[in-house]
Amino acid sequence: MPKAYVIGLGRSGNAAARLLKRQGWQVIISDRGSSESLHSQQQALIAEGIEVRLGDNFDPESARPDLIVVSPGVPWDIPSLVKARSLNIETIGEMELAWRSLNSSPWVAITGTNGKTTTTALTAAIFQKAGLYAPAFGNIGYAACEVALLDQKPDWAIAEISSYQIESAPSLAPEIGIWTTFTPDHLARHKTLENYYNIKASLLNQTKQQIFNGDDPYLRKIGTAHGYPVQETACWTSVKGRSELIGNPAFGAYIENNWVFVRDEKIVQADALKMPGAHNLQNLLAAVAAAHFAGIEKSAIAEAVAEFPGVEHRLEFICTYQGVDYINDSKATNYDAAEVGLSAVKAPAILIAGGEPKIGEDQAWLNVIQSNAAAVLLIGEAAPTFAKRLDEVSYSNYEIVETMDRAIARSPQLAKQHSAKVVLLSPACASFDQYQSFEHRGDHFRQLCLESFQ
């Protein structure tokens, strides 16, 4: 019996282990951690005949598996994986394993620095409104291998795919690929912007029908230069009208006179989407273009767009208290996403920012703070650094409150003092200094708001 070694417990790793077991592999799954949560997962997996090793540092030379499957959170270039590849042990990611089981279904793959989750959720909603079995998975909804474990084969597979998942899924070749935005992110892992770009580009290079956000400055520059991986039939999008399209306009998607057009065909009214922010019109264009290329009827597209509620943790409305809207944008884990979030809400706003800091260019974010934020409440590990940066741009209306609880408690007074319309959690940071994930952080914000103000 061939032996497979899965690295990393959690939703993706556990699903990969179960899928391999079903396929007839002898499966070992390991994790460096040994928390109570991992111990409970361990018991469930052992009951299914899967060996689990906690507190384990994988050594490919002693383990000698036939296949290694890596969870998305495990860096691709750690020494043990580099060593495994040098020993010619096949090493893939959980997304690649899912692709091998699901590649008889057409895929829509959505990648990009920001906008992936909203675009994925909206795309899935449109396909599902058309009566198709089209689960969303990857960084949203199911783990990829969970979909492969389901009895029903998808009519369409709608996958949100991060750079971490792309770099370990070399054979993934979607029917439709969407690239939403491109800005510096995850550089602590990918080292250079060029590496990060090339990982994203490798997915689009293997896609039959490409969709690019033509309003994104970096992608537009690549498109204008006819750079890798752009194909002649690529669909470029623009919220600014047909005249702003790059590439061949006959293949493009654009907004004009409040209508979304794809390949010059009028599809749906743009204001049917209720989510705030110009960036969400870009997400709308990509999702509608994908649906049109998949042959979905205009009526289903229009219904799905009108009914779409948005996604959790991305400009998610929580409640109104004393005339002030509380909005959860916890998924804004970098400067660019946070800039977009603050630009999208009504000004003036009280901004809650901070967490585990990331490498990136913050000037545009600081500019929006100066124009749109009446005050800033700083939390988490990044608070002192952010305070220093705000001082450097002569912005003094900030307070270091350290925790979410204190930020929520302080926000009503500040909102009243500055006649703010909105209190916005848009951290510009990862969450791991105080939370398990950005979802955990956003859930805590929601819980505190509802307990305090309703």
Side-chain angles (χ1 to χ4, degrees):
M1 183 183 292
K3 182 166 71 173
Y5 206 106
V6 179
I7 302 177
L9 268 76
R11 193 164 187 176
S12 295
N14 294 357
R18 290 186 170 104
L19 181 58
L20 288 163
K21 180 69 176 175
R22 192 171 78 178
Q23 292 173 347
W25 294 79
Q26 177 193 344
V27 183
I28 301 167
I29 183 169
S30 75
D31 199 288
R32 287 187 301 176
S34 57
S35 66
E36 186 178 330
S37 168
L38 292 177
H39 276 286
S40 65
Q41 294 177 49
Q42 179 184 38
Q43 296 310 309
L45 290 165
I46 288 172
E48 297 174 42
I50 296 167
E51 183 181 342
V52 182
R53 299 178 183 177
L54 297 181
D56 179 69
N57 286 309
F58 171 63
D59 178 9
E61 210 148 25
S62 60
R64 286 285 175 172
D66 300 286
L67 175 69
I68 299 168
V69 179
V70 184
S71 297
V74 178
W76 192 236
D77 59 354
I78 58 174
S80 60
L81 294 183
V82 173
K83 189 176 185 182
R85 291 193 288 272
S86 75
L87 294 169
N88 294 318
I89 300 171
E90 186 178 18
T91 306
I92 62 173
E94 181 255 354
M95 185 65 70
E96 172 74 13
L97 181 65
W99 165 254
R100 294 178 182 186
S101 293
L102 294 170
N103 60 22
S104 60
S105 298
W107 284 44
V108 180
I110 298 98
T111 196
T113 309
N114 300 307
K116 295 189 298 293
T117 299
T118 299
T119 304
T120 303
L122 179 55
T123 302
I126 295 171
F127 280 61
Q128 290 162 17
K129 178 59 72 173
L132 298 168
Y133 174 52
F137 62 89
N139 277 9
I140 182 176
Y142 295 105
C145 283
E146 285 179 325
V147 177
L149 283 164
L150 296 173
D151 292 332
Q152 186 177 356
K153 177 185 142 188
D155 297 312
W156 280 84
I158 314 297
E160 178 187 337
I161 306 183
S162 71
S163 54
Y164 297 0
Q165 292 160 317
I166 295 169
E167 68 181 341
S168 58
S171 71
L172 176 56
E175 185 74 19
I176 298 170
I178 297 171
W179 193 337
T180 58
T181 56
F182 185 76
T183 51
D185 197 13
H186 304 306
L187 297 188
R189 175 151 166 175
H190 298 313
K191 313 305 181 193
T192 69
L193 190 66
E194 183 181 17
N195 284 344
Y196 179 45
Y197 175 84
N198 285 333
I199 290 167
K200 298 281 191 190
S202 68
L203 176 70
L204 272 292
N205 194 51
Q206 297 184 168
T207 296
K208 291 182 183 176
Q209 174 60 63
Q210 300 174 331
I211 301 171
F212 294 98
N213 176 2
D215 294 326
D216 179 86
Y218 197 102
L219 294 180
R220 190 176 182 88
K221 181 180 176 183
I222 295 296
T224 305
H226 308 290
Y228 166 80
V230 182
Q231 300 164 358
E232 287 184 14
T233 57
C235 170
W236 287 89
T237 70
S238 180
V239 302
K240 301 171 186 175
R242 193 179 193 277
S243 63
E244 290 298 310
L245 289 175
I246 60 173
N248 187 334
F251 294 126
Y254 55 94
I255 295 175
E256 212 153 79
N257 298 322
N258 192 41
W259 278 92
V260 173
F261 289 81
V262 181
R263 291 184 174 168
D264 293 327
E265 187 174 342
K266 189 184 286 188
I267 307 295
V268 64
Q269 287 188 288
D271 64 5
L273 184 70
K274 303 308 179 197
M275 295 181 72
H279 65 291
N280 279 319
L281 293 177
Q282 294 166 344
N283 299 334
L284 171 69
L285 274 174
V288 170
H292 186 64
F293 295 148
I296 291 175
E297 296 289 336
K298 295 179 192 178
S299 58
I301 295 173
E303 281 185 58
V305 170
E307 294 171 5
F308 187 65
V311 297
E312 287 187 327
H313 313 296
R314 194 68 181 108
L315 291 172
E316 176 194 9
F317 172 78
I318 302 299
C319 65
T320 300
Y321 179 66
Q322 295 180 341
V324 178
D325 292 339
Y326 282 73
I327 295 178
N328 167 24
D329 197 34
S330 182
K331 199 176 190 304
T333 58
N334 56 50
Y335 295 118
D336 300 284
E339 175 201 344
V340 167
L342 186 55
S343 298
V345 301
K346 295 174 186 174
I350 306 300
L351 174 65
I352 301 171
E356 183 181 80
K358 282 188 173 182
I359 299 168
E361 173 54 54
D362 65 358
Q363 190 56 55
W365 176 64
L366 293 169
N367 292 344
V368 177
I369 288 176
Q370 289 174 304
S371 62
N372 288 19
V376 181
L377 295 167
L378 297 173
I379 63 174
E381 186 183 310
T385 304
F386 282 3
K388 183 180 177 184
R389 289 294 290 132
L390 290 169
D391 284 334
E392 288 169 357
V393 297
S394 302
Y395 185 96
S396 58
N397 288 344
Y398 68 82
E399 298 176 18
I400 296 178
V401 293
E402 298 180 344
T403 67
M404 191 75 73
D405 303 71
R406 291 177 189 162
I408 297 301
R410 178 72 174 120
S411 63
Q413 297 103 307
L414 279 178
K416 186 175 182 180
Q417 178 184 334
H418 294 283
S419 300
K421 308 292 186 187
V422 168
V423 172
L424 173 70
L425 169 66
S426 193
C429 284
S431 56
F432 303 115
D433 58 333
Q434 295 179 322
Y435 297 96
Q436 296 170 9
S437 63
F438 74 81
E439 293 99 335
H440 184 207
R441 176 172 60 193
D443 289 342
H444 189 214
F445 174 83
R446 184 193 300 109
Q447 175 193 346
L448 290 170
C449 290
L450 295 178
E451 287 176 353
S452 302
F453 307 136
Q454 285 193 343

